[in-house]
Amino acid sequence: NAGVTQTPKFQVLKTGQSMTLQCAQDMNHEYMSWYRQDPGMGLRLIHYSVGAGITDQGEVPNGYNVSRSTTEDFPLRLLSAAPSQTSVYFCASSFRRNTEAFFGQGTRLTVV
Amino acid sequence: AQSVTQLGSHVSVSEGALVLLRCNYSSSVPPYLFWYVQYPNQGLQLLLKYTTGATLVKGINGFEAEFKKSETSFHLTKPSAHMSDAAEYFCAVIPPARGYSTLTFGKGTMLLVSP
């Protein structure tokens, strides 16, 4: 089992560029989330989904878009990258509510 | 108010010493409590969790945590630190917001282990 797979692992973007961070899980989990990790801030929720076709905003959604057309995939789109979006991004999935989340290995994004 | 608070951004111990990482949670969240570990340049790995039942929870790598409702605490301990325990540790809860579907994390505690 691959678990939660994120691609790419590293990315450098120029200010204003757009890109999509990919996330796929093979555990048939209904719940998926995107977090960003910044030094001293812990992990902060960007967007989440409780099933295919259902997404909602987290704590820090500005500048990001998501969609969930299948149970397996939950891509995160940066619409117009800004240096403030330099961070490590983690995708997570969980089987149902009130259960632990399983994390991908992360994408380290630098915006110059 | 913060749902979860970790005391100390850095904790230093000597190899073989007791490890104690502190976590307090808001009484307004239900007691679904988790500790995760993150090794350098890796994702988060679940160490242990409390949902119901026995208040002393054992996890991987010799770690354990005790749920104390009266103190709203879920501190992580290990009797004897190893060099391989050096990592960042995160306490997490599941708040009622968003239908109990996402985790809220503390800011993390970096554990440094010296020989």
Side-chain angles (χ1 to χ4, degrees), chain A residues 31 33 35 37 40-43 45 48 50 57-59 90 94 97-101 103-105 108, chain B residues 32 34 36 38 41-44 46 49 51 88 90 94 98-108:
Chain A
Y31 291 66
S33 311
Y35 295 86
Q37 182 179 24
M41 304 288 287
L43 281 83
L45 182 69
Y48 68 103
V50 297
Q57 297 181 350
E59 293 175 71
F90 287 100
S94 51
R97 65 181 194 170
N98 289 333
T99 60
E100 69 269 29
F103 284 80
Q105 291 296 295
R108 186 172 295 272
Chain B
Y32 297 99
F34 307 86
Y36 282 83
Q38 184 182 31
N41 300 314
Q42 294 193 24
L44 277 74
L46 182 68
K49 63 181 179 181
T51 53
E88 191 158 21
F90 293 94
I94 302 183
R98 308 183 190 101
Y100 303 95
S101 60
T102 62
L103 294 168
T104 294
F105 288 87
K107 294 193 188 314

Side-chain angles (χ1 to χ4, degrees), chain B residues 82-101:
Chain B
H82 294 169
M83 296 295 291
S84 59
D85 294 327
E88 191 158 21
Y89 293 80
F90 293 94
C91 185
V93 300
I94 302 183
R98 308 183 190 101
Y100 303 95
S101 60

Side-chain angles (χ1 to χ4, degrees), chain B residues 15-94:
Chain B
E15 196 172 18
L18 171 73
V19 175
L20 170 60
L21 304 183
R22 299 178 188 273
C23 173
N24 287 90
Y25 64 94
S26 168
S27 57
S28 65
V29 303
Y32 297 99
L33 304 163
F34 307 86
W35 276 100
Y36 282 83
V37 61
Q38 184 182 31
Y39 299 104
N41 300 314
Q42 294 193 24
L44 277 74
Q45 178 183 4
L46 182 68
L47 262 184
L48 49 79
K49 63 181 179 181
Y50 173 82
T51 53
T52 59
T55 55
L56 183 61
V57 180
K58 294 189 186 301
I60 62 172
N61 301 338
F63 284 92
E64 59 184 38
E66 187 170 10
F67 167 61
K68 290 189 176 180
K69 186 175 180 180
S70 60
E71 299 177 7
T72 59
S73 69
F74 191 55
H75 302 330
L76 182 70
T77 61
K78 182 174 180 177
S80 176
H82 294 169
M83 296 295 291
S84 59
D85 294 327
E88 191 158 21
Y89 293 80
F90 293 94
C91 185
V93 300
I94 302 183

Side-chain angles (χ1 to χ4, degrees), chain A residues 23-29 32 52 68-74:
Chain A
C23 175
Q25 53 93 7
D26 61 0
M27 297 175 283
N28 203 30
H29 286 173
M32 296 186 75
R68 183 109 180 262
S69 54
T70 67
T71 299
E72 295 77 19
D73 300 299
F74 191 43

